[in-house]
């Protein structure tokens, strides 16, 4: 079997007459970019979070053998309200938030030696509140992603107990504390606009608080046997908190789940002058290309039953094709 390929190219030039178009009927299309998201404005929302904290107790009886540190886990839920101002890609804002917390931790404390009855210290916050300033930068698709830093003041309410351990069958002495304290907070986060009204954010916060002086219960020393009167321990606490929040931005329809972007193509404003085609002549040029393939095979009808009558018939083509396109 053998094959042949025939290639033919042609170039044409056409002369086209183009008359003047009616300018009044033209509606030119102008390509417009989609709307760029802007973070300016007020918002309100809610959040859930969790983490862990540490409350430290000073020992009035001397350096501790162990303990004096309580590490409570923290679960919290709350809300936030804030306002943003955007300048180019930079976003500045203020935010207030408040959270209710579930937290409880305990550890041995006030263990100055093996001769002093130690205690169990319990601690856990139940309320957090912060007031912060934020600075961030909008990036990503049309500026809908905001990375930010925050810092400001924080407040917590911390409560717990200092309970003596076994005192030889006597009732266990204890004291209770429940106090609020100002401190500080720093954090960072990323917020993503979901629609024109809703955004979601993830955030990490570190909070630190000094603490008040809390009374300790009287305890027992032996030997030598002695009753140690009530004393004072100083508290401090810090927390590492992760949160996820959902915000509603004022001024947008909360039930619209799509972006109100401008269409990719829009008609020119009504006051814009239409653009007419220029009257006259134009030339059009182009090329055409054809590809043709033919097949050749044995003509077996040329072989007689008794032998080869005409050897030249073996190569006679039975089908040959070539295509030529008109110019």
């Amino acid at each position: 079997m053998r094959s042949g390929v025939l290639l033919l190219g042609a170039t044409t030039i056409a002369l086209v007459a183009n008359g003047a178009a009616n300018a009044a009927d033209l509606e030119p299309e102008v390509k417009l970019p989609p709307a760029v998201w802007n973070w300016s404005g007020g918002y309100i929302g809610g959040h859930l979070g969790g983490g862990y904290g540490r409350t430290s107790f000073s020992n009035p009886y001397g350096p501790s053998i162990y303990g004096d540190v309580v590490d409570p886990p923290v679960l919290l839920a709350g809300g936030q309200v804030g306002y943003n101002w955007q300048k180019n890609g930079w976003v500045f804002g203020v935010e207030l938030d408040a959270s209710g917390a579930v937290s409880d931790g305990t550890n041995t404390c006030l263990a100055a030696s093996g001769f002093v009855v130690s205690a169990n210290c319990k601690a856990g916050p139940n309320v957090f509140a912060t007031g912060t300033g934020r600075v961030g930068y909008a990036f990503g698709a049309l500026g809908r992603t905001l990375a930010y830093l925050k810092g400001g003041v924080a407040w917590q309410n911390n409560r717990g107990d200092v309970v003596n351990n076994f005192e030889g069958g006597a009732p266990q002495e204890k004291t209770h504390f429940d106090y609020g304290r100002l401190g500080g907070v720093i954090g960072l986060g990323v917020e993503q606009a979901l629609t024109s009204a809703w955004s979601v954010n993830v955030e990490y916060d570190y909070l630190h608080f000094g603490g008040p002086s809390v009374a300790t219960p009287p305890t027992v020393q032996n030997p030598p046997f002695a009753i140690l009167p009530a004393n004072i321990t100083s508290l401090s606490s810090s927390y590492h908190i992760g949160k996820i929040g959902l915000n509603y931005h004022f001024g947008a329809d909360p039930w619209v789940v799509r972006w109100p972007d401008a269409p990719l193509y829009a008609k020119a404003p009504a006051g814009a002058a239409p653009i007419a085609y220029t009257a006259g002549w134009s030339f059009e040029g182009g090329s055409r290309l054809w590809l043709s393939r033919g097949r050749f095979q044995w003509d077996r009808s040329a072989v007689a039953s008794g032998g080869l009558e005409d050897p030249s018939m073996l190569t006679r083509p039975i089908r040959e094709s070539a295509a030529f396109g008109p110019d």
Side-chain angles (χ1 to χ4, degrees), residues 68-83:
D68 289 353
V69 174
V70 177
D71 293 325
V74 180
L75 294 176
L76 55 83
Q80 65 276 351
V81 61
Y83 197 92

Side-chain angles (χ1 to χ4, degrees), residues 16 24 60 108 134 219 273 275:
V16 180
T108 300
R134 304 199 311 172
T219 187
I275 303 172

Side-chain angles (χ1 to χ4, degrees), residues 39-40 43 83-94 132-140 143-151 187-191 203:
W39 291 93
S40 295
Y43 61 90
Y83 197 92
N84 291 321
W85 298 266
Q86 183 165 350
K87 175 78 172 172
N88 298 324
W90 293 97
V91 179
F92 306 90
V94 292
T132 57
R134 304 199 311 172
V135 58
Y137 190 80
F139 64 97
R144 293 174 186 163
T145 304
L146 175 66
Y148 62 87
L149 300 173
K150 63 184 293 186
L188 55 87
V190 176
E191 188 165 1
E203 182 177 297

Side-chain angles (χ1 to χ4, degrees), residues 70-143:
V70 177
D71 293 325
V74 180
L75 294 176
L76 55 83
Q80 65 276 351
V81 61
Y83 197 92
N84 291 321
W85 298 266
Q86 183 165 350
K87 175 78 172 172
N88 298 324
W90 293 97
V91 179
F92 306 90
V94 292
E95 184 177 272
L96 299 174
D97 72 56
S99 309
V102 177
S103 178
D104 188 16
T106 186
N107 195 16
T108 300
C109 60
L110 312 186
S113 72
F115 304 108
V116 176
V117 173
S118 62
N120 281 335
C121 288
K122 298 180 179 180
N126 64 336
V127 176
F128 289 113
T130 68
T132 57
R134 304 199 311 172
V135 58
Y137 190 80
F139 64 97
L142 304 177

